Amino acid sequence: MHLSDSSDATVTDASPVPRSRRVTLLVASLAGLCWAGALAMLLWGVVDRRQPYDAPERMVYYMVVVSAALLTFVPVERQFRLTGLTVEGLLGTGFLLYTLAFVPPPVEWLLSPPDAPVYAVMALAVFWFFSSIAMPLLYALGQRIFHQRARRYDRRRARRQAYEIGVFAALTVILAGLRALTPVAVALIALIIGVAELLFLSFVEPEP
């Protein structure tokens, strides 16, 4: 009798684990399918700027992009408690994929009036997108690298470093718009951001 009760309790306690894994795998699979669908529609020319705004292809594209962003960033935000990650990820993904699909590519340099807004939107989208992708990765990496508990679980540090990556990506867009995108310029920006982060890590108290 006691053995039966013990085995039942063991089965009951262990059952939520595989179920949660199945849910995680299902969400990850759906997110991957949505990302693949959005990229396929973009690369194969299923959507383009010549279509009317209410074209069925556009509507499907919008739904796939939004679904990909939500299925990606909502679980990660809940897992790591990174407040605002879903909003930033959704904005970055939406702006970036919308611009790539429907906004004419700029042909002049950054300070040309017709093309300046395109560069601005692209830089903002790239900033949001790359910082949102980097934030949970940096937070998880910090748990392995930093030995001090306060720094290991410092969400402010992960957010700052993610924004630095976003700034780096946005500045490459600006350099391209200024026709100054060279390896030396990119390396110089990376060096400046890297030194600034080292100073932050050295002198700024981590969040408890």
Side-chain angles (χ1 to χ4, degrees):
M1 183 65 180
H2 293 292
L3 292 176
S4 176
D5 293 342
S6 176
S7 62
D8 291 342
T10 302
V11 173
T12 302
D13 293 339
S15 58
V17 176
R19 187 179 305 147
S20 64
R21 289 179 180 175
R22 287 197 297 269
V23 172
T24 301
L25 289 174
L26 177 61
V27 172
S29 300
L30 291 175
L33 288 174
C34 289
W35 281 107
L39 293 177
M41 294 180 72
L42 182 64
L43 296 176
W44 291 346
V46 178
V47 289
D48 60 58
R49 58 182 177 274
R50 294 184 296 273
Q51 296 169 338
Y53 290 106
D54 58 348
E57 295 86 353
R58 281 200 178 208
M59 298 297 106
V60 172
Y61 183 71
Y62 295 152
M63 289 188 291
V64 171
V65 169
V66 171
S67 299
L70 292 178
L71 289 171
T72 300
F73 294 108
V74 169
V76 175
E77 178 178 336
R78 295 181 62 183
Q79 175 68 26
F80 295 120
R81 291 180 293 172
L82 295 170
T83 306
L85 178 64
T86 300
V87 175
E88 294 179 10
L90 181 60
L91 289 174
T93 302
F95 272 124
L96 182 62
L97 294 184
Y98 180 89
T99 303
L100 292 175
F102 304 119
V103 176
V107 294
E108 299 294 336
W109 75 316
L110 177 66
L111 299 181
S112 177
D115 290 333
V118 179
Y119 284 113
V121 171
M122 180 62 73
L124 183 61
V126 165
F127 168 80
W128 268 332
F129 180 76
F130 280 95
S131 62
S132 300
I133 293 293
M135 196 180 303
L137 299 177
L138 291 169
Y139 181 73
L141 184 63
Q143 297 183 24
R144 294 180 176 272
I145 292 178
F146 293 117
H147 298 290
Q148 299 178 21
R149 181 177 178 83
R151 285 192 173 180
R152 285 182 58 199
Y153 297 94
D154 184 7
R155 294 180 180 85
R156 185 171 59 187
R157 173 198 51 77
R159 187 177 297 274
R160 182 186 69 244
Q161 291 174 346
Y163 285 164
E164 290 167 354
I165 291 178
V167 168
F168 174 77
L171 287 177
T172 59
V173 174
I174 293 175
L175 287 176
L178 293 173
R179 303 294 191 266
L181 186 60
T182 63
V184 174
V186 172
L188 183 60
I189 291 175
L191 179 62
I192 294 172
I193 294 176
V195 170
E197 176 58 23
L198 288 176
L199 292 175
F200 273 116
L201 291 175
S202 300
F203 298 110
V204 176
E205 285 295 325
E207 183 184 82

